[in-house]
């Protein structure tokens, strides 16, 4: 099995797949075709603009197409058994169980005042299953058993809260008048290491952060993109674990990529610094 060829083939197929999503999720005006939730009495309740709710409904919305994609390309889908498991979806070849790919949904919104930036997202944990590639803790299959780790991403605009009334109940005949909470979708597929930053993605939790420049995300121009995946793995496995003695005798924890590359005697000129300034 040529692992590199299998990964490239999967990536190309996934890239082709996301080209079909634009018309599927959009209405005629470029807004989200999902308008709300309906009950058995045909009452429609608008969707909250909360990012977690939007993300989950988007996943549900495109999941039938993902099933078709898997069947067409010779994969079966294995969903994460628990909410905090990685990844969201495992694609496993029906011909060879050793051919499997991790795919995480990543959704985020554009910065309304700096539309070249997005809010960013986390790229999974750098904890137990990441450091021990044979671990089965909080992961569907051991990390090292995947041939590639991909993000299927959706970047969107949020509708102004002034235009949304979450307290109003609509009737079926009013469906077209309901304001979509998001729109102007941009889809992308990339290996997660290619869009990683060198900072944690969510406060005190052990999550890898992403870059925020949208064009760099689309093009896979993250901080490690010129260094390579091995540098990404090495950095995040050892994140904030290495201390270097200073001239004054105190020890300084390495917590940025430049210091880490210098410590490992690599070439810091290969670090890609994104325009994340707000």
């Amino acid at each position: 099995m040529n692992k590199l060829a299998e990964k490239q083939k999967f990536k190309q197929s996934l890239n082709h797949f996301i080209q079909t999503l634009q018309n599927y999720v959009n209405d005629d005006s470029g807004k989200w075709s999902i308008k709300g939730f309906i009950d058995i009495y045909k009452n429609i309740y608008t969707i909250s603009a909360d990012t977690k709710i939007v993300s989950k409904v988007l996943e549900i919305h495109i999941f039938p197409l993902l099933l078709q994609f898997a069947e067409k390309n010779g994969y079966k889908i294995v969903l994460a058994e628990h909410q905090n498991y990685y990844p969201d979806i495992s694609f496993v070849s029906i011909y060879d169980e050793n051919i499997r790919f991790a795919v995480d949904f990543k959704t985020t919104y554009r910065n309304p005042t700096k539309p070249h930036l997005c809010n960013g997202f986390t790229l999974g944990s750098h904890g137990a299953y990441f450091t021990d590639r044979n671990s089965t803790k909080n992961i569907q299959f051991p990390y090292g058993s995947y041939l590639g780790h991909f993000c299927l991403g959706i970047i969107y605009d949020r509708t102004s809260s002034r235009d949304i009334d979450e307290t109003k109940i609509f009737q079926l005949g009013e469906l077209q008048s309901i304001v979509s909470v998001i729109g102007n979708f941009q889809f992308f597929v990339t290996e997660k290491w290619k869009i990683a930053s060198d900072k944690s993605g969510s406060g005190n939790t052990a999550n890898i952060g992403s870059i925020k420049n949208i064009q760099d995300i689309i093009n896979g121009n993250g901080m490690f993109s010129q260094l390579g995946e091995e540098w990404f793995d090495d950095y995040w496995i050892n994140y904030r674990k290495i201390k270097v003695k200073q001239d004054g005798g105190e020890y300084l924890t390495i917590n940025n990529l430049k210091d880490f590359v210098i410590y490992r005697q690599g070439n810091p000129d290969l670090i890609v610094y994104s325009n994340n300034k707000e």
Side-chain angles (χ1 to χ4, degrees):
M1 175 180 59
N2 187 325
K3 294 182 179 180
L4 188 60
E6 289 289 347
K7 183 164 70 170
Q8 188 62 26
K9 178 183 175 183
F10 180 78
K11 182 180 179 181
Q12 289 176 348
S13 298
L14 204 55
N15 264 315
H16 179 73
F17 164 73
I18 65 169
Q19 306 307 315
T20 68
L21 294 180
Q22 197 76 40
N23 292 334
Y24 181 73
V25 302
N26 280 348
D27 63 15
D28 293 338
S29 63
K31 296 290 188 176
W32 196 12
S33 58
I34 297 292
K35 298 293 184 177
F37 303 97
I38 190 169
D39 65 18
I40 62 171
Y41 306 107
K42 300 182 181 179
N43 296 314
I44 300 174
Y45 307 86
T46 56
I47 294 175
S48 168
D50 181 273
T51 52
K52 290 183 179 179
I53 295 175
V54 167
S55 178
K56 178 50 66 176
V57 178
L58 270 170
E59 290 178 28
I60 294 170
H61 191 189
I62 68 175
F63 190 72
L65 294 189
L66 280 170
L67 287 173
Q68 295 176 19
F69 164 81
E71 183 177 358
K72 179 181 177 181
N73 289 277
Y75 292 95
K76 63 180 179 180
I77 282 180
V78 180
L79 298 178
E81 292 180 0
H82 302 282
Q83 186 175 355
N84 64 335
Y85 267 35
Y86 173 87
D88 292 325
I89 296 179
S90 298
F91 286 86
V92 182
S93 171
I94 61 176
Y95 307 108
D96 185 349
E97 291 274 335
N98 294 312
I99 298 175
R100 59 173 69 126
F101 298 96
V103 175
D104 256 358
F105 290 107
K106 296 300 172 188
T107 63
T108 190
Y109 56 89
R110 293 181 185 85
N111 184 322
T113 59
K114 300 282 187 178
H116 67 287
L117 301 178
C118 67
N119 193 49
F121 33 78
T122 59
L123 299 172
S125 171
H126 56 85
Y129 71 69
F130 189 84
T131 57
D132 178 0
R133 297 301 168 94
N134 295 313
S135 172
T136 55
K137 180 178 173 59
N138 296 334
I139 189 168
Q140 195 63 40
F141 301 103
Y143 196 94
S145 72
Y146 291 97
L147 300 188
H149 298 263
F150 290 89
C151 297
L152 195 167
I154 307 172
I155 301 172
Y156 56 83
D157 288 338
R158 293 201 293 186
T159 302
S160 171
S161 58
R162 297 189 303 269
D163 299 325
I164 302 171
D165 184 0
E166 295 182 19
T167 66
K168 185 176 180 180
I169 299 174
F170 295 86
Q171 301 305 308
L172 200 55
E174 301 174 285
L175 183 61
Q176 296 300 324
S177 67
I178 301 175
V179 177
S180 300
V181 295
I182 59 174
N184 190 20
F185 296 97
Q186 192 167 10
F187 298 90
F188 68 90
V189 168
T190 184
E191 291 181 72
K192 73 176 187 177
W193 68 270
K194 290 188 176 182
I195 58 172
S197 72
D198 63 349
K199 299 297 183 221
S200 181
S202 54
N204 295 325
T205 59
N207 278 312
I208 299 167
S210 77
I211 57 175
K212 296 183 178 181
N213 183 284
I214 293 175
Q215 202 56 48
D216 284 337
I217 290 173
I218 300 299
N219 294 327
N221 290 332
M223 294 186 70
F224 299 85
S225 57
Q226 297 300 317
L227 286 164
E229 189 172 10
E230 290 184 0
W231 278 96
F232 164 78
D233 288 342
D234 191 17
Y235 176 80
W236 281 106
I237 286 172
N238 293 288
Y239 183 63
R240 299 185 66 88
K241 295 177 182 176
I242 298 173
K243 295 180 182 293
V244 179
K245 190 174 184 179
Q246 305 299 294
D247 292 338
E250 70 276 11
Y251 284 83
L252 183 68
T253 300
I254 293 179
N255 63 359
N256 67 80
L257 184 55
K258 182 178 179 180
D259 288 347
F260 182 81
V261 171
I262 292 172
Y263 172 79
R264 288 284 200 240
Q265 299 183 338
N267 182 1
D269 291 338
L270 294 177
I271 300 171
V272 178
Y273 293 97
S274 294
N275 180 19
N276 288 334
K277 294 181 180 179
E278 300 186 23

